[in-house]
Amino acid sequence: MRIAIDLGGTNVRVASVAPGGKVVRVLVEPSLSTGSEGEVLEQLYRLIDDLMSPEVDGIGIGVPSVVDTEQGIVYNVVGIPSWKEVHLKDLLEKRYHVRVAVDNDCNCFALGVTRFGKDGPHKEAFCATLGTGVGGSLVVDGHLYRGRNAGAGEIGSIPYLDKDYEYYCSSRFFVGKGTTGKDTAIAAAGGDPKALAIMDEFGSHIGKLVQMIMFAYDPSVIILGGSIAKAFPLYSEPMWRVINEFPYPKSVENLNLYATYLEHPGILGAALLCGEF
């Protein structure tokens, strides 16, 4: 049994995961994002304590930050200002006396979705999360390519138009239009012309994002996840319209691109940080 944690600035999810990727129990609470370093840690401890048992042989945790995966240190956690440098692996191992592994949250998403998602497991894929921001992770030969600081594939910060890809391919795009992704999706599904136009424009930006991924990584599989991926049918047509403008048609023909609806991919990936089980 593993305990897997998805820590974010909005919510913290702590789950017990059985062998084979069966999520047995999930605890979810709003994160104490404005709390001190110690207060956030105490929230984690309390949730882990509730799930800890003699069967647990490891704890995996995904965090939205730069991570020293060898030492298990997280730096400048997005959405939790007090977490500037937290030696998370040491703290958890000293408290629980089991193996602990820490990684970037998008890397955990990639591990989970390539292992347990549609048509999986995938040996090679680029995984992008579309939500509050834009994250990216690269899987090569069945393994994550993390880069030196667990930040490889962070495509959201690459300059695009007058800002960056994150501005145009995340919830920030909809906020800039005076709405939210959820409200736009509901209205577009109901045939609202203004919402449909916003989704069409959003899809064209996602198409440009995919083109950039193809130029940079030339993957055989691209998997989209995150909250905005749930609205994929509403922007897939304009997205593919732009992707089909890619200068190498054979690359487009060979591309397998889909949105995942796998439940708890980040949790499943965090459970895998301590190895297969």
Side-chain angles (χ1 to χ4, degrees):
M1 187 77 72
R2 298 274 167 80
I3 288 179
I5 304 166
D6 183 3
L7 175 63
T10 302
N11 294 305
V12 54
R13 294 175 172 83
V14 180
S16 52
V17 184
K22 180 182 179 181
V23 178
V24 178
R25 187 179 174 207
V26 183
L27 305 177
V28 183
E29 286 187 4
S31 298
L32 298 178
S33 55
T34 59
S36 67
E37 177 183 317
E39 287 171 333
V40 178
L41 279 169
E42 285 300 323
Q43 181 184 33
L44 271 184
Y45 294 156
R46 175 171 52 79
L47 293 171
I48 295 170
D49 288 349
D50 198 8
L51 296 180
M52 182 56 67
S53 71
E55 290 75 33
V56 172
D57 65 358
I59 299 173
I61 177 167
V63 185
S65 68
V66 171
V67 181
D68 180 336
T69 54
E70 293 184 4
Q71 300 298 319
I73 305 170
V74 299
Y75 299 93
N76 305 110
V77 175
V78 175
I80 306 178
S82 64
W83 277 34
K84 302 294 184 185
E85 180 180 328
V86 181
H87 293 239
L88 197 52
K89 176 181 169 69
D90 283 349
L91 289 167
L92 293 177
E93 286 187 342
K94 286 176 182 177
R95 183 180 177 93
Y96 295 107
H97 308 291
V98 297
R99 181 186 175 190
V100 175
V102 187
D103 210 325
N104 174 269
D105 60 344
C106 192
N107 285 347
C108 290
F109 165 81
L111 276 179
V113 78
T114 55
R115 174 68 174 79
F116 297 108
K118 174 187 173 184
D119 301 330
H122 294 293
K123 299 290 286 183
E124 173 190 313
F126 189 93
C127 303
T129 52
L130 313 176
T132 305
V134 174
S137 294
L138 184 65
V139 173
V140 179
D141 195 26
H143 300 282
L144 283 171
Y145 177 74
R146 293 180 172 89
R148 176 62 184 88
N149 301 295
E154 289 295 349
I155 52 177
S157 298
I158 294 176
Y160 172 62
L161 299 179
D162 58 330
K163 292 184 173 62
D164 56 22
Y165 280 99
E166 184 161 282
Y167 182 86
Y168 287 96
C169 299
S170 73
S171 62
R172 294 172 62 189
F173 170 80
F174 298 98
V175 171
K177 298 289 185 182
T179 182
T180 67
K182 182 178 181 179
D183 288 344
T184 305
I186 292 171
D192 180 78
K194 182 179 178 181
L196 286 168
I198 292 174
M199 277 296 181
D200 189 86
E201 183 181 349
F202 180 74
S204 69
H205 293 308
I206 298 299
K208 288 294 187 181
L209 178 74
V210 171
Q211 280 196 6
M212 182 269 291
I213 293 170
M214 294 170 71
F215 275 123
Y217 302 105
D218 190 26
S220 60
V221 180
I222 296 177
I223 306 171
L224 304 181
S227 57
I228 299 177
K230 296 175 182 177
F232 184 70
L234 296 171
Y235 58 82
S236 61
E237 183 177 341
M239 177 197 73
W240 277 109
R241 187 168 64 236
V242 172
I243 295 172
N244 285 327
E245 297 170 356
F246 195 70
Y248 305 110
K250 199 67 178 175
S251 297
V252 177
E253 180 184 333
N254 291 332
L255 178 64
N256 179 10
L257 185 155
Y258 65 90
T260 181
Y261 303 104
L262 177 68
E263 194 172 10
H264 306 307
I267 287 289
L268 291 170
L272 289 170
L273 292 177
C274 294
E276 290 285 345
F277 71 112

